[in-house]
Amino acid sequence: MGLTDAPRGMRLHIGIFGRRNVGKSSLLNAITRQDVSIVSDFAGTTTDPVEKPMELLPLGPVLFIDTAGIDDVGVLGELRAKKTTQVFDRTDLGVLVTEAGSWGEYEDGILDEFLERKAPVVVVFNKSDLVSKPAPVKRLQDLKITPVLTAASEGRGVLDFRQALLDAAPPDFIDNPTILGDLVNSGDLAVLVVPIDKEAPRGRLILPQVQSIRDLMDSDAMALVVKERELKNAIDRLKRPPKLVVTDSQAFLKVAADTPPDVPLTSFSILFSRFKGDLTSQVEGTLAVDDLKSGARILIAEACSHHPIAEDIGRVKIPRWLTQYVGGKLNIEHMQGHDFPDDLSRWDLVIHCGACTFNRRAMLGRILRCRQQGVPITNYGLVIAFSLGIFERALQPFPAALEAMRAAQARRAGHAPAEPVTAGLPPDAAVDDLC
Ligand code: SF4
């Protein structure tokens, strides 16, 4: 399935409402960076709701619905207005656009429609460049709604708008329903490769492994759990090849060698990049490894605060593989738990763990913060696969991520600018697990 092929019903429907000529179409164009709506200085140019399905990083598949102004007059206006009110009923997340400093009965009415339907709403004061400081609106203050200030035609405030969409998106849209259940069918067998070495905690498996097993069982699939040394023997004994092999990223090379090429292979932390964060963003971020030079500054961030041991993945193994790949000394800093800097500008790359102890909104916040500041962010499994030369293979189970990788490679080859996004959310990790 391509990036824009998600069924319409699975997309978050974002309806954009507001008077004519407040800049709804400009706002949509600014965030989509495509001329999907007609932008004009004349009121009422947008005659019908215009729908634009897109993959909005890092929210995922959304459907923007750009409405005609419902203050239209005359027969044509009534037709437009009817279509607009229908859009309220299928809006998961409403966007009310008004000009900075202009709020009246009309905006109150739109807000009432959202509140009646219990739909989350983002209020945008557009054309904020024309007003020095917009007057506060008591209704919004009472409802604790902070308007986003934009000047969409100049592209200002669009990053804040994107953040506000993430903040307001319903939790059931934010949270991925499955770790790998969508990669297997009922009755399929997945092989999970779990090294039992000095790093493995005594007497138990770590959270990503346990959750993956549970996810397979919830999907009526089967899990065969083996150490990396037993993988080849285990696969040889199967009557049919497994549907999927998932390995601890640290064993990637051996597991890639022992897994038949036609069996999809990935790692737990790549699964968690998708489950807890945004795989597409982190795949794109991984390509920045090719830009690293000797002396590059790298932040390695872990969501929990486990005590590192001798051959720790974040402190020893990833630095070693990355240094070998880059061919020069790297300046690497580490952060754990809730510590994550507001200002990321001094790093050339952020490498994050699978964040199994975070909720997804918290991890998305970190990804957004990086992207807002133009700092690429990758993930343990992705950066290991890339450094070891098996990146494409590790992405084989995720066609959309592969497609995004190829598109990003093409953009990089053409020196197209990276798409900036906006800032983050506080993490809420509770931590006592070990990677
Ligand atoms: S470092 Fe901690 S939070 Fe991150 S994936 Fe490993 S166990 Fe989970």
Side-chain angles (χ1 to χ4, degrees):
M1 186 179 279
L3 275 180
T4 53
D5 296 342
R8 197 154 286 237
M10 285 173 60
R11 295 180 175 277
L12 184 75
H13 286 43
I14 303 176
I16 304 186
F17 298 80
R19 294 178 205 249
R20 286 171 293 169
N21 211 28
V22 292
K24 298 187 295 295
S25 301
S26 302
L27 190 65
L28 182 57
N29 289 348
I31 198 161
T32 61
R33 296 198 167 183
Q34 296 164 31
D35 286 336
V36 293
S37 301
I38 306 160
V39 182
S40 160
D41 288 339
F42 299 102
T45 307
T46 307
T47 53
D48 284 316
V50 174
E51 295 190 355
K52 172 63 183 169
M54 67 176 291
E55 194 75 14
L56 182 67
L57 294 176
L59 270 176
V62 302
L63 182 75
F64 276 110
I65 311 166
D66 179 14
T67 64
I70 62 170
D71 59 344
D72 275 354
V73 290
V75 177
L76 186 58
E78 274 173 33
L79 282 175
R80 291 174 184 159
K82 195 166 177 217
K83 284 183 179 162
T84 304
T85 52
Q86 286 169 353
V87 177
F88 279 118
D89 294 331
R90 54 196 182 96
T91 289
D92 300 312
L93 196 170
V95 177
L96 170 54
V97 188
T98 185
E99 287 186 21
S102 121
W103 184 277
E105 256 180 62
Y106 169 81
E107 283 73 22
D108 273 332
I110 300 268
L111 200 51
D112 287 341
E113 298 278 354
F114 290 133
L115 295 177
E116 225 171 78
R117 290 167 174 80
K118 297 192 174 19
V121 58
V122 170
V123 174
V124 177
F125 284 178
N126 194 32
K127 304 187 184 179
S128 60
D129 51 328
L130 305 178
V131 185
S132 56
K133 192 172 177 219
V137 175
K138 184 162 182 326
R139 177 103 197 268
L140 295 180
Q141 289 178 322
D142 291 347
L143 290 166
K144 298 193 173 17
I145 295 174
T146 305
V148 181
L149 302 183
T150 61
S153 57
E154 296 170 25
R156 278 163 46 193
V158 176
L159 303 176
D160 294 333
F161 176 50
R162 203 183 279 246
Q163 175 68 50
L165 293 177
L166 172 61
D167 291 345
D172 57 355
F173 183 80
I174 292 287
D175 294 329
N176 270 332
T178 179
I179 298 169
L180 75 174
D182 59 329
L183 304 178
V184 294
N185 296 313
S186 168
D188 281 343
L189 174 79
V191 178
L192 309 182
V193 183
V194 175
I196 302 296
D197 53 17
K198 276 184 290 180
E199 280 188 71
R202 287 175 71 86
R204 64 178 174 88
L205 301 177
I206 62 172
L207 194 54
Q209 297 157 354
V210 172
Q211 288 184 320
S212 297
I213 293 170
R214 174 60 198 256
D215 203 37
L216 286 168
M217 296 177 79
D218 285 342
S219 307
D220 297 328
M222 292 176 274
L224 173 60
V225 184
V226 298
K227 292 190 283 189
E228 72 276 30
R229 282 190 300 275
E230 272 76 59
L231 173 65
K232 192 164 185 321
N233 187 16
I235 291 178
D236 287 347
R237 288 163 68 169
L238 295 173
K239 282 192 188 146
R240 278 181 292 155
K243 184 70 185 284
L244 179 73
V245 171
V246 181
T247 181
D248 185 298
S249 305
Q250 303 174 62
F252 242 144
L253 261 193
K254 173 154 181 55
V255 172
D258 289 349
T259 301
D262 54 339
V263 174
L265 163 69
T266 192
S267 78
F268 291 104
S269 58
I270 293 177
L271 287 174
F272 270 68
S273 167
R274 187 177 73 134
F275 182 55
K276 293 288 183 174
D278 181 65
L279 181 58
T280 304
S281 292
Q282 291 189 301
V283 163
E284 289 178 7
T286 311
L287 302 181
V289 169
D290 272 339
D291 300 332
L292 298 178
K293 307 226 167 5
S294 178
R297 296 149 308 168
I298 293 168
L299 174 64
I300 295 185
E302 292 183 339
C304 75
S305 49
H306 68 265
H307 292 295
I309 57 136
E311 279 290 289
D312 187 72
I313 182 169
R315 278 169 183 70
V316 179
K317 291 181 180 168
I318 289 177
R320 185 196 300 147
W321 285 319
L322 206 52
T323 303
Q324 281 166 0
Y325 185 88
V326 173
K329 191 171 172 353
L330 300 169
N331 292 316
I332 297 178
E333 287 179 58
H334 295 87
M335 284 192 186
Q336 285 191 307
H338 292 276
D339 291 335
F340 196 71
D342 290 331
D343 179 6
L344 293 150
S345 57
R346 67 196 176 89
W347 286 287
D348 299 303
L349 178 69
V350 173
I351 304 173
H352 209 289
C353 75
C356 71
T357 55
F358 271 13
N359 67 18
R360 186 161 181 252
R361 207 184 288 263
M363 188 57 215
L364 288 178
R366 289 188 170 189
I367 293 172
L368 280 173
R369 200 182 304 173
C370 289
R371 289 176 63 92
Q372 181 190 34
Q373 297 179 37
V375 179
I377 177 167
T378 178
N379 150 289
Y380 275 19
L382 292 169
V383 82
I384 291 172
F386 192 89
S387 308
L388 299 177
I390 51 171
F391 195 47
E392 281 211 37
R393 175 128 200 237
L395 293 178
Q396 217 176 328
F398 314 104
L402 269 175
E403 192 183 322
M405 180 199 75
R406 292 188 184 117
Q409 282 171 330
R411 279 201 305 276
R412 287 166 61 83
H415 306 293
E419 183 197 19
V421 195
T422 187
L425 299 165
D428 70 344
V431 193
D432 62 356
D433 242 303
L434 267 191
C435 228

